[in-house]
């Protein structure tokens, strides 16, 4: 067996014999870039303490990864199509690994944000490359099954990130959550060279760099606006980003409509199946990432689980993703993607609706059913949409197709964290003010406690520390009782905020389910059911 496979997949007459091993490498590459975000939700408290991060710093530590990741995928996907999809994957893994090393060594908020941005650039190369290499390596008859496994990996990574981070934080600092990426990335590089055949478009003209750069401008500005506005207020930065995003999108569409070989033919969005699939991916991950954002906080702060216990308690989601993926592999060929996708979105709506019952007395048992239903929903909805989006592109544009799918996913996830996170923060602040009204808490302490659930418990712990240092038993007893009431108020306010935010998320997803159900064509009109022989034969 050769150490490095050199024969391009387009030159093989029969299906590549080690394609399932190649899929394992692609799924491993996908795993680490998804886990890079979900693991950080568990490592964030330790990082905040060690680096003295403000809430603004922490938000940009998380989202410094998201902006370049979402903005660059389309352009880098097109470059990978023209020059080398495997090359894009390997280079992305190297950049991602380098950013991870840098992130583990820095000791300032600016350094961590910069390292996360570098990781985001690497992820923008990796993500579309995994899908384009999958589509190029597998024959059309097996592609849907391979995409099911790819999407199942994405769903599992959402739950696995907190588990891995929690295990590392048991005996190591937050830097370990960065360093763990390095051996995995190195293994993926070796696997890519040894098992994944090189691939590029058989016929590809000059890249539309103007369109690509316009896509970077409007997508990056949009993601920045989504993050900046809801979290930090609609100041000049957020409004300016909104203007740039709108103008950039108009310029992008106008340019692409006139260009003979656009980086993305925007006319594809006139197709109901393509538009419906992208809308489903965006709305579904709006709900999933938003719910994940507040559930991990609820498990850690309100229910008091440590990082490892939090990760373990997210495992039902991962198991359910496998079950949902198995179901979609069985049901979609028989019922069509319209049924499985709308069913998946409906299940997601039910999961969020169940979370509206969370209150101060809720325990982990009340979260198990929503987690399981949400995992099944991911498995049902995501892979048929991904298959339909990839099927809408000719073989010469598979990298662009992967980038479109992944951009929809990332935009939806960013919007979910920003929108539902903003609803959560506002609801928590309001409920806490009501719960502590007339309790004699100083205005400054209340303002601090209203900032976040973590800050609220910190205020309660501060009052408890004052009780321990009290000069008289009576004063100590009064302060201790005040600390207990404060902690109870914080937990109750956050639980109520989770219920309220889940209601908003369920309403958004319910409306989205109806829209997607209307947009997606019936089975006979679904592009993914078209025989392979009638598809564009530009195999790459």
């Amino acid at each position: 067996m050769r150490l490095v496979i050199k024969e391009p997949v387009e030159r093989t007459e029969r299906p590549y014999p080690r394609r399932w091993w190649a899929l394992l490498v692609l799924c491993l590459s996908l795993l680490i870039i998804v886990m890079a975000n979900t693991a950080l939700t568990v490592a964030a408290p330790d990082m905040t303490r060690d680096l003295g991060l403000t809430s603004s710093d922490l938000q940009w530590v998380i989202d410094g990864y998201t902006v370049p990741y979402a903005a660059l995928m389309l352009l880098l996907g097109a470059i990978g199509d023209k020059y080398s999809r495997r090359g894009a994957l390997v280079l992305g893994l190297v950049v991602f690994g380098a950013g991870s090393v840098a992130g583990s060594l820095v000791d300032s908020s600016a350094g961590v944000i910069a390292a996360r941005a570098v990781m985001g650039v690497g992820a923008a190369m990796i993500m579309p490359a995994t899908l384009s290499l999958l589509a190029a390596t597998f024959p059309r008859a097996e592609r849907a099954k391979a995409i099911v496994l790819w999407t199942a990996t994405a769903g599992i990574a959402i739950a696995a990130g907190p588990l891995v981070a929690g295990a590392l934080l048991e005996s190591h600092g937050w830097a370990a959550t960065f360093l763990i990426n390095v051996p995995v990335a190195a293994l993926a590089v070796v696997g890519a060279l040894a098992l994944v055949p090189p691939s590029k478009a058989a016929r590809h003209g000059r890249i539309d760099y103007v369109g690509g750069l316009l896509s970077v401008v409007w997508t990056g500005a949009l993601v920045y606006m989504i993050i900046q506005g809801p979290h930090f207020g609609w100041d000049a930065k957020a409004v300016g980003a909104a203007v740039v995003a709108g103008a950039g999108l108009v310029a992008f569409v106008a340019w692409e409509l006139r260009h003979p070989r656009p980086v993305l033919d925007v006319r594809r969005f006139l197709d109901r199946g393509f538009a419906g699939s992208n809308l489903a991916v965006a709305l579904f991950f709006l709900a999933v990432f938003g719910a994940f954002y507040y559930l991990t906080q609820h498990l850690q702060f309100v229910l008091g689980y440590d990082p490892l216990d939090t990760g373990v308690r997210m495992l039902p989601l991962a198991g359910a993703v496998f079950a949902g993926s198995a179901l979609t592999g069985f049901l979609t060929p028989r019922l069509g993607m319209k049924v499985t996708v709308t069913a998946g979105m409906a299940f997601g709506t039910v999961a969020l609706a169940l979370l509206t019952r969370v209150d101060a007395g809720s325990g982990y048992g009340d979260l198990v059913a929503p987690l399981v239903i949400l995992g099944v929903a991911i498995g049902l909805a995501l892979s048929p949409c991904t298959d339909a989006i990839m099927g809408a592109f000719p073989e010469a544009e598979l990298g662009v197709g992967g980038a479109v799918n992944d951009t929809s996913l990332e935009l939806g996830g960013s919007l979910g964290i920003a929108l539902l996170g903003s609803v959560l923060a506002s609801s928590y602040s309001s409920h806490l003010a009501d719960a502590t009204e007339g309790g004699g808490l100083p205005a400054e302490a209340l303002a601090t406690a209203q900032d976040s659930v973590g800050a609220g418990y910190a205020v309660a712990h501060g009052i408890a520390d004052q009780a321990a240092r009290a000069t008289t038993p009576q004063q100590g007893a009064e302060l201790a009782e005040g600390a207990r009431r404060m902690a109870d108020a914080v937990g109750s306010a956050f639980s109520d905020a989770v219920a309220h935010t889940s209601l908003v998320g369920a309403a958004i997803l319910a409306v989205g389910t109806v829209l997607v159900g209307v947009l997606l064509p019936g089975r006979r009109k679904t592009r993914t059911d078209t025989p392979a022989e009638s598809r564009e034969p530009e195999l790459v």
Side-chain angles (χ1 to χ4, degrees):
M1 184 178 75
R2 294 180 181 177
L3 293 178
V4 178
I5 183 168
K6 297 181 179 179
E7 185 178 13
V9 69
E10 63 266 24
R11 294 181 185 173
T12 59
E13 296 180 0
R14 294 182 298 175
Y16 174 58
R18 289 185 286 170
R19 56 193 178 278
W20 295 104
W21 287 103
L23 178 63
L24 180 63
V25 175
L26 300 179
C27 288
L28 182 65
S29 304
L30 172 68
L31 187 75
I32 60 170
I33 62 174
V34 176
M35 284 176 57
N37 256 353
T38 58
L40 196 64
T41 59
V42 174
D46 283 3
M47 189 181 297
T48 300
R49 285 190 296 269
D50 288 352
L51 299 179
L53 301 179
T54 66
S55 58
S56 175
D57 290 336
L58 180 59
Q59 192 63 47
W60 281 109
V61 166
I62 295 171
D63 291 317
Y65 179 83
T66 302
V67 174
Y69 181 19
L72 292 170
M73 274 194 285
L74 187 61
L75 177 59
L76 295 180
I79 292 173
D81 280 335
K82 180 174 176 61
Y83 295 106
S84 174
R85 292 164 181 149
R86 188 179 71 175
L89 175 65
V90 170
L91 180 59
L93 288 166
V94 171
V95 171
F96 188 88
S100 298
V101 172
S104 71
L105 297 175
V106 296
D107 58 0
S108 67
S109 59
V112 176
I113 292 168
R116 290 273 296 169
V118 172
M119 292 170 66
V121 173
M125 300 181 202
I126 296 167
M127 191 72 156
T130 60
L131 262 181
S132 61
L133 285 165
L134 180 156
T137 304
F138 280 83
R140 191 67 186 87
E142 294 179 345
R143 190 180 295 175
K145 185 185 297 184
I147 286 176
V148 165
L149 295 174
W150 183 91
T151 53
T153 301
I156 291 165
I158 294 174
L163 178 62
V164 173
L168 290 170
L169 290 171
E170 287 284 291
S171 54
H172 302 87
W174 58 264
T177 62
F178 282 81
L179 282 177
I180 191 62
N181 296 321
V182 178
V184 180
L187 179 62
V189 167
V190 174
L193 295 174
L195 296 170
V196 180
S199 169
K200 64 179 181 179
R203 296 185 297 277
H204 199 296
R206 293 180 61 186
I207 294 176
D208 172 21
Y209 282 108
V210 173
L213 290 174
L214 286 172
S215 76
V216 172
V217 170
W218 82 261
T219 308
L222 178 62
V223 174
Y224 181 89
M225 178 204 74
I226 289 171
I227 296 165
Q228 182 72 22
H231 285 292
F232 308 115
W234 292 96
D235 56 9
K237 292 179 181 179
V239 174
V243 172
V244 171
L249 177 59
V250 170
F252 173 73
V253 172
W255 177 268
E256 297 300 90
L257 287 174
R258 297 181 59 184
H259 198 278
R261 292 188 67 89
V263 68
L264 172 62
D265 186 354
V266 295
R267 297 177 186 85
R268 285 194 173 92
F269 286 95
L270 298 175
D271 178 79
R272 287 171 51 197
F274 184 77
S277 296
N278 278 284
L279 180 63
V281 169
L283 288 176
F284 194 76
F285 273 88
L286 182 155
V288 169
F289 276 65
F292 190 85
Y293 175 75
Y294 57 75
L295 282 179
T296 51
Q297 292 185 67
H298 191 270
L299 286 168
Q300 290 184 84
F301 289 112
V302 179
L303 299 184
Y305 294 115
D306 64 25
L308 179 58
D309 288 337
T310 298
V312 169
R313 280 160 178 78
M314 295 299 290
L315 285 179
L317 176 70
V321 169
F322 262 120
S325 298
L327 275 175
T328 197
F330 176 79
L331 294 176
T332 303
R334 292 163 176 79
L335 302 178
M337 70 168 289
K338 181 171 184 171
V339 173
T340 53
V341 172
T342 54
M345 295 185 71
F347 275 121
T349 304
V350 169
L352 293 183
L354 288 175
L355 289 173
T356 63
R357 301 167 62 189
V358 170
D359 58 27
S362 298
Y364 173 68
D366 298 296
L367 304 181
V368 173
L371 284 173
V372 169
I373 295 171
L374 189 60
V376 172
I378 293 172
L380 282 174
L382 187 56
S383 58
C385 291
T386 299
D387 192 27
I389 292 168
M390 293 301 294
F393 287 85
E395 305 293 339
E397 299 176 19
L398 292 176
V400 172
V404 170
N405 177 83
D406 302 334
T407 301
S408 295
L409 187 156
E410 196 62 27
L411 286 176
S414 299
L415 187 59
I417 293 174
L419 178 61
L420 297 186
S422 179
V423 172
L424 180 78
S426 176
S427 179
Y428 164 73
S429 178
S430 176
H431 280 99
L432 184 62
D434 292 341
T436 56
E437 187 177 2
L441 190 69
E444 184 178 349
L446 176 59
T448 300
Q450 287 178 302
D451 184 58
S452 68
V453 61
Y457 280 115
V459 170
H461 292 155
I463 298 173
D465 289 342
Q466 292 176 29
R469 298 191 303 269
T471 56
T472 66
Q474 182 179 356
Q475 183 186 35
E478 290 175 354
L479 287 170
E481 177 62 19
R484 185 192 63 78
R485 289 199 307 268
M486 184 64 195
D488 289 345
V490 169
S492 177
F494 193 78
S495 298
D496 290 342
V498 166
H500 180 231
T501 307
S502 297
L503 179 62
V504 174
I508 293 172
L509 200 53
V511 173
T513 302
V514 174
L515 290 175
V516 169
V518 170
L519 281 173
L520 291 179
R523 188 181 177 203
R524 292 182 180 178
K525 297 179 182 179
T526 302
R527 182 114 185 220
T528 52
D529 292 329
T530 307
E533 292 77 14
S534 65
R535 302 294 302 280
E536 198 164 341
E538 222 179 324
L539 185 63
V540 290

